[in-house]
Amino acid sequence: TDVHHEPDSTLCRCGCQMKRIGEDVCEKLDYQPGVFTVERHVRGKWVCHQCETLIQAPVPAQIIDKGIPTSGLLAQVLVAKYADHLPLYRQSGIFERAGFTIPDSTLSEWVGRCGVALQPLVDALKRELLNQPVLHADETPLPMLKPGNGKTHRAYLWSYCSTPLSSMKAVVFDFAESRGGKHAEQFLDRWRGTLVCDDFPGYKALFKSGITEAGCMAHARRKFHELWANHSSQIAGEALDLYARLYAVEREVSLLTPGQRLAIRQMQAKPVADALHQWLLVQRQRVPGGGATFRAIDYSLNRWSAFTHYLNDPQVPIDNNWVENQIRPVALGRKNWMFAGSLRAGKRAAAIMSLIHSARLNGHDPYRYMKDVLERLPLQPFSRIGELLPHNWKPA
């Protein structure tokens, strides 16, 4: 937008007419809040006067049949709630300021309808995720409204994602009523690979069924960091130095090929890990039992095989921080929209979040991705639904 500024008069004080010899240009950045527009879909009717045959273009397929929202409006509602953490009642207020009031109950119905429509796409994403040889897993509490009494109880959102070392970037959320390990068993089903996770007992049954355990080195390091931060522990400082050397190797190999990564880990990281293990054994004999330092040492030693599994598998990362980063936005959303209205609502929210956060992982603008998917999904053949997955998606 060009805004021109010219003098009121170009007549010189001496009486001559001035000539324009150039211009100075400066640029300002402007912004307008969301603006509603109405699309009028006009379908012409055509008739043959001879045989009276009538033809008319079909109604374009929509996610919400006969509903008023376009894919753009639906994408805005979904992304605002699950990426920008705006609860529906706040969005309703924002829309009112823009000149069109949409009750939050209507918005809630739209979200539910989208969740149902997007579920086949999430199922396809889950199938591709379970083809990965290495996965991360974590879980976080998410209150769920109890039917009847208006109170909430603690449900959980489970997160499963590919590793930062994988070419496929995806995260799938699964909403469940509890933190029981049966939910992880049901999700992973017949998958048998390496699972990177923390020491939560709910995963233990998985390792008895053939899944390989890889521990999170960050959890071991974190216990010593707490001792150092709170008590300036000299022993904790020595441990942190050794852990830092292991992480320095990981920063060096993160972008290398699996073969190069394995070679450097064996040559540089394994000697450090062996030294750390020996140091932990020595310190456990010196430190009195029962204290925080003893517990930190014991935690590392008891899971040492899981912590060092990554040294022998170049596809396994050193820790579980990647999935913790994926689940962190959920905590922000939890503070804003407070709870899931039901188990069904929680599962629909998990489906939508899976697509939005996987799109973000692949470097897409979540709004552009969701808008395009919602436009194309009603007519997309099921055999080609994989084209709409975030790691495969290309704009129409």
Side-chain angles (χ1 to χ4, degrees):
T1 302
D2 289 336
V3 181
H4 294 276
H5 305 273
E6 300 293 350
D8 294 333
S9 172
T10 57
L11 191 66
C12 184
R13 286 179 296 177
C14 70
C16 298
Q17 178 63 46
M18 293 183 174
K19 294 182 178 179
R20 198 171 195 273
I21 60 172
E23 62 187 17
D24 291 329
V25 178
C26 67
E27 294 185 345
K28 304 286 186 181
L29 188 64
D30 191 21
Y31 173 77
Q32 284 189 339
V35 176
F36 283 103
T37 58
V38 177
E39 290 183 357
R40 297 182 66 242
H41 293 255
V42 182
R43 300 164 55 227
K45 295 180 179 180
W46 296 77
V47 67
C48 174
H49 290 292
Q50 185 70 27
C51 64
E52 297 186 349
T53 299
L54 178 70
I55 62 171
Q56 190 176 27
V59 178
Q62 303 285 330
I63 287 291
I64 300 180
D65 189 32
K66 298 180 181 179
I68 64 169
T70 66
S71 59
L73 178 54
L74 292 173
Q76 170 61 29
V77 172
L78 297 180
V79 171
K81 181 171 184 180
Y82 295 115
D84 300 326
H85 321 300
L86 281 175
L88 296 180
Y89 77 90
R90 288 189 200 165
Q91 294 191 54
S92 180
I94 293 170
F95 291 153
E96 184 178 3
R97 294 201 304 268
F100 195 91
T101 303
I102 305 177
D104 51 349
S105 59
T106 301
L107 297 177
S108 179
E109 181 185 355
W110 292 354
V111 171
R113 298 277 290 275
C114 288
V116 172
L118 292 168
Q119 189 61 54
L121 192 57
V122 179
D123 292 340
L125 181 63
K126 175 183 173 181
R127 286 193 295 270
E128 293 210 12
L129 182 69
L130 293 181
N131 287 328
Q132 294 290 302
V134 184
L135 293 178
H136 289 277
D138 199 8
E139 73 290 330
T140 189
L142 184 62
M144 183 179 75
L145 192 65
K146 285 184 177 180
N149 59 10
K151 297 181 180 180
T152 63
H153 79 277
R154 176 172 288 194
Y156 277 83
L157 190 72
W158 296 71
S159 173
Y160 306 89
C161 69
S162 55
T163 76
L165 304 176
S166 171
S167 58
M168 178 197 178
K169 306 299 181 187
V171 57
V172 176
F173 296 103
D174 183 40
F175 186 78
E177 292 180 285
S178 70
R179 202 185 184 191
K182 63 180 181 180
H183 301 297
E185 293 182 56
Q186 292 169 358
F187 183 92
L188 296 173
D189 195 19
R190 290 174 292 180
W191 178 80
R192 293 297 177 267
T194 300
L195 188 68
V196 187
C197 58
D198 57 28
D199 198 27
F200 172 55
Y203 298 114
K204 300 305 181 185
L206 299 173
F207 307 135
K208 296 177 182 178
S209 66
I211 292 176
T212 302
E213 179 184 14
C216 174
M217 191 72 79
H219 276 75
R221 179 193 174 277
R222 198 172 297 159
K223 294 186 179 299
F224 289 103
H225 182 267
E226 291 171 358
L227 288 170
W228 169 257
N230 297 329
H231 307 290
S232 300
S233 166
Q234 181 180 350
I235 293 178
E238 294 176 11
L240 289 177
D241 288 341
L242 291 167
Y243 282 113
R245 290 168 60 185
L246 292 175
Y247 274 90
V249 176
E250 288 308 295
R251 286 191 293 271
E252 179 184 343
V253 303
S254 61
L255 300 179
L256 300 182
T257 65
Q260 293 170 326
R261 187 180 303 120
L262 179 61
I264 294 177
R265 280 176 172 176
Q266 289 290 312
M267 184 171 57
Q268 297 183 20
K270 190 174 185 306
V272 178
D274 291 341
L276 175 58
H277 186 240
Q278 188 61 37
W279 180 88
L280 290 168
L281 290 171
V282 171
Q283 296 303 322
R284 185 164 64 172
Q285 301 301 319
R286 296 177 177 176
V287 174
T293 303
F294 182 86
R295 290 195 299 270
I297 293 172
D298 223 34
Y299 180 83
S300 292
L301 287 175
N302 289 341
R303 302 197 70 221
W304 190 252
S305 177
F307 286 144
T308 55
H309 177 78
Y310 83 99
L311 294 173
N312 301 310
D313 189 338
Q315 295 178 302
V316 176
I318 189 173
D319 57 34
N320 207 31
N321 285 351
W322 182 251
V323 71
E324 291 185 4
N325 291 336
Q326 309 318 313
I327 219 168
R328 188 167 290 120
V330 176
L332 293 174
R334 183 173 57 212
K335 292 179 180 178
N336 287 275
W337 34 264
M338 304 298 289
F339 56 82
S342 65
L343 180 61
R344 183 175 64 177
K347 287 188 174 296
R348 290 177 180 175
I352 297 168
M353 285 190 287
S354 298
L355 295 175
I356 287 177
H357 289 284
S358 292
R360 179 181 55 81
L361 276 178
N362 285 276
H364 304 316
D365 173 5
Y367 172 80
R368 286 189 63 206
Y369 170 75
M370 289 303 303
K371 180 177 184 294
D372 188 64
V373 165
L374 291 172
E375 285 178 353
R376 294 162 61 180
L377 189 59
L379 296 177
Q380 188 78 1
F382 185 77
S383 60
R384 294 172 49 199
I385 200 170
E387 296 174 6
L388 301 183
L389 295 178
H391 55 284
N392 297 330
W393 175 76
K394 291 181 175 57

